[in-house]
């Protein structure tokens, strides 16, 4: 895998002159953030050697390089999910490439169901920690010490200094946010009511089908992570109607204005 990662990274270095240190992963319906990236240079995933392709609505499948407030960034407009049938190593492949490319900080976002009854649809939630309920781990297999250690520490999976900075930015802009624990499952089914009750008992405030694999690998590689969930629906049993991905994308788009404003100003501070 190491040589594949080097090949992909070399391709990107030959294709763009940008050398960002900040990367952003855009969740379902949150892709509009790229509209705020200046001097854009886009590369389709299908043109990148060894890259998987996005198969989910609301995930375009592009790497977008450019600048936010003069700070170089790269955004993933579209991510890969385990439920798409990808291996965990494929789901997390972009993280390995990001590290090799020189990324030091990652802002990861997602659409999620609110299991905390006080987190209404449209709420932006700063992720304080996560629970891996995928039943597997993206690091299972032989370890390659060139990437990271066999037993990575997850004490501060979502860096406190980045969370503090995000809170300061939100407070200055008057953006409302909550804080909470994200629980990641494989999907693609939304949860049963019983599962949501169980996950809530475990400490989950929001539930989704992504993020945990990427953040696990980012920590392994030594990339500092900030995570933001957009609560798009109340989780099963709390919600008054059945879920649909169309609604998820729709609500995420509506929350997009605050989300974009927040992330843009975070980038300006951390870049
Ligand atoms: O986590 P993101 O990619 O934002 O998307 C979330 O929304 C989709 C379900 O509607 C799932 O893919 C879930 O993980
Ligand atoms: N697992 C899961 N993923 C989501 N993505 C958006 N909403 C939800 C949800 O309620 N559950």
């Amino acid at each position: 895998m190491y040589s594949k990662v080097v090949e992909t990274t070399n391709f990107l270095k030959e294709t763009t002159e940008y050398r960002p240190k900040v990367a952003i992963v855009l969740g379902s319906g949150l892709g509009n953030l790229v509209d705020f990236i200046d001097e854009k240079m886009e590369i389709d995933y299908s043109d990148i050697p060894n890259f998987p392709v996005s198969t989910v609505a609301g995930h375009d499948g592009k790497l977008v390089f450019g600048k936010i407030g003069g700070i170089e960034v790269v955004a993933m407009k579209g991510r890969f999910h385990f439920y798409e049938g990808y291996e965990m190593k494929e789901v997390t492949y972009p993280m390995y490439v990001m590290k090799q490319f020189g990324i030091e900080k990652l802002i990861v976002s997602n659409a999620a169901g609110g299991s905390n009854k006080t987190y209404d649809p449209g709420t932006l939630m700063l992720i304080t920690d996560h629970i891996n309920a995928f039943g597997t781990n993206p690091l299972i297999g032989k370890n390659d010490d060139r990437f990271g250690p066999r037993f990575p520490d997850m004490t501060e999976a979502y860096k406190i200094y980045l969370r503090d900075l995000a809170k300061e930015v939100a407070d200055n802009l008057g953006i409302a946010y909550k804080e909470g624990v994200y629980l990641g499952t494989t999907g693609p089914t939304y949860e049963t009511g019983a599962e949501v009750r169980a996950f809530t008992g475990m400490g989950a405030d929001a539930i989704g089908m992504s993020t945990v694999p990427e953040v696990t690998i980012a920590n392994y590689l030594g990339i500092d992570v900030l995570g933001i969930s957009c609560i798009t629906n109340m989780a099963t049993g709390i919600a008054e109607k059945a879920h649909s991905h169309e609604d998820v994308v729709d609500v995420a788009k509506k929350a997009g204005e605050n989300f974009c404003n927040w992330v843009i100003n975070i980038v300006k501070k951390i870049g």
Side-chain angles (χ1 to χ4, degrees), residues 111-114 183 185 187 189-191 207-209 232-236 243 248:
L183 180 142
T185 70
T189 48
Y190 294 104
E191 297 65 45
I207 306 171
M209 308 173 196
T232 50
N233 55 279
M234 297 317 292
T236 313
H243 308 303
V248 165

Side-chain angles (χ1 to χ4, degrees), residues 3 8 15 43 56 69 82 92 101 103 105 147 160-161 166 171 177 205-206 243 263:
S3 58
T8 307
T15 311
I43 311 176
V56 184
F82 194 47
T92 56
F101 196 77
I103 295 300
K105 296 181 181 95
F147 288 128
I160 293 171
Y161 84 93
D171 292 343
Y177 65 90
D205 295 295
H243 308 303
V263 171

